[in-house]
Amino acid sequence: MTNLAASPAAPFGRVLCAMVTPFTASGALDVDGAQRLADRLVTEGCDGLVLNGTTGESPTTSDAEKTALVRAVREAVGNRASVVAGVGTSDTRHTVELPLRAEKAGADGVLVVTPYYSLPPQDAVEAHFREVADASGLPVVVYDIPGRTGTRVEPETMIRLAAHPRIVAVKDCSHDFLGTQKVLSRTDLAYYAGCDEHNLALYAVGAAGCVSTVANAVPRHIRSVLDAFDAGDTAGAARRQRQVMPLVEAMMAAGLPGTVTAKALLAALGLPAGPVRPPLRPAGRETADALLAEHGRLAAAG
């Protein structure tokens, strides 16, 4: 692990950004833009970057583009931050090929989503994660997001997976606070909140940190919530979480994917982003203006 902020309890650091994948105006991978964005995110408070995930438009980027992105970001951030590479697909045979590529490109870990669309039963879900974890020497983050995949990693399945030496963490978008605490109480898995509205609540019951889409635009504000909590200022942490919530709502609950809103806001701020790839469509001017206004209010609040 190269990230100096990492620890056994938070193997990739506390504050991770689910980074967008910048594209050029023609829709090609913007390697220079990705490096500039990655450097800014780390400089402004991110301990790690999660690449090629949902926010990174993984369904519409090629294996070669994913590898090139990991290599470029590793070069940009050096040992200042961890790099976690999304490698999940709906095909186990394909997925097991990708961790080795990520490892060679410089990733510190891999993010593996539950196989989507085919709705495998829990024994098949467990077998999928175990096979991927056996495919390389990299630690694995289980990405539990049933709202997109259609299949939950049930708490009992997660508890069994925790026995695998390379399955070390979870990006939790299950929206099951009780189930999450059940796993936290019975395993050493490092849980990362995958929904920005849950960052503080999950951290307060023992999570390792967060994987934040909103951090693409406001990494310092996302970090300040957890920093305040660690300093014992729980009231301050709650206040800071409440301050960021209007932007969270604008980005994540406006009827558009977070990728679309994150890229719209980044573009409005003059930061690397570029277009989204079809079937996604760009945010309209009204949405972009509303995002920029919420960003301005948050910036003014300090």
Side-chain angles (χ1 to χ4, degrees), residues 107-148:
D108 297 304
V110 290
L111 178 74
V112 185
V113 73
T114 315
Y116 40 87
Y117 189 76
S118 55
L119 302 179
Q122 289 298 297
D123 61 339
V125 169
E126 182 178 348
H128 173 86
F129 282 111
R130 288 184 179 279
E131 191 167 343
V132 176
D134 288 338
S136 80
L138 291 179
V140 170
V141 182
V142 174
Y143 186 8
D144 187 17
I145 182 166
R148 287 183 181 266

Side-chain angles (χ1 to χ4, degrees), residues 122-123 125-126 130 144 152-163 176 178-187 189 191:
Q122 289 298 297
D123 61 339
V125 169
E126 182 178 348
R130 288 184 179 279
D144 187 17
R152 175 79 194 280
V153 185
E154 297 291 345
E156 292 298 334
T157 303
M158 201 74 80
I159 290 166
R160 290 193 299 272
L161 286 171
D176 178 8
L178 176 61
T180 292
Q181 290 182 80
K182 179 178 180 179
V183 181
L184 279 170
S185 69
R186 293 176 57 185
T187 75
L189 288 171
Y191 261 73

Side-chain angles (χ1 to χ4, degrees), residues 69-230:
L69 181 65
V70 172
R71 185 178 295 112
V73 168
R74 174 88 286 163
E75 180 181 296
V77 304
N79 67 355
R80 295 180 295 147
S82 59
V83 175
V84 178
V87 299
T89 77
S90 58
D91 176 5
T92 302
R93 290 181 300 175
H94 184 197
T95 304
V96 297
E97 297 171 358
L98 301 180
L100 285 174
R101 297 188 187 188
E103 188 172 23
K104 290 177 182 178
D108 297 304
V110 290
L111 178 74
V112 185
V113 73
T114 315
Y116 40 87
Y117 189 76
S118 55
L119 302 179
Q122 289 298 297
D123 61 339
V125 169
E126 182 178 348
H128 173 86
F129 282 111
R130 288 184 179 279
E131 191 167 343
V132 176
D134 288 338
S136 80
L138 291 179
V140 170
V141 182
V142 174
Y143 186 8
D144 187 17
I145 182 166
R148 287 183 181 266
T149 65
T151 303
R152 175 79 194 280
V153 185
E154 297 291 345
E156 292 298 334
T157 303
M158 201 74 80
I159 290 166
R160 290 193 299 272
L161 286 171
H164 194 290
R166 279 189 294 280
I167 296 177
V168 301
V170 178
K171 180 183 177 184
D172 183 24
C173 293
S174 67
H175 292 275
D176 178 8
F177 205 54
L178 176 61
T180 292
Q181 290 182 80
K182 179 178 180 179
V183 181
L184 279 170
S185 69
R186 293 176 57 185
T187 75
D188 292 324
L189 288 171
Y191 261 73
Y192 289 88
C195 305
D196 279 282
E197 66 271 26
H198 295 165
N199 289 352
L200 178 57
L202 198 56
Y203 197 61
V205 296
C210 61
V211 178
S212 169
T213 294
V214 177
N216 278 282
V218 289
R220 290 187 187 276
H221 289 83
I222 296 299
R223 183 179 188 90
S224 72
V225 176
L226 305 192
D227 283 349
F229 188 88
D230 282 346

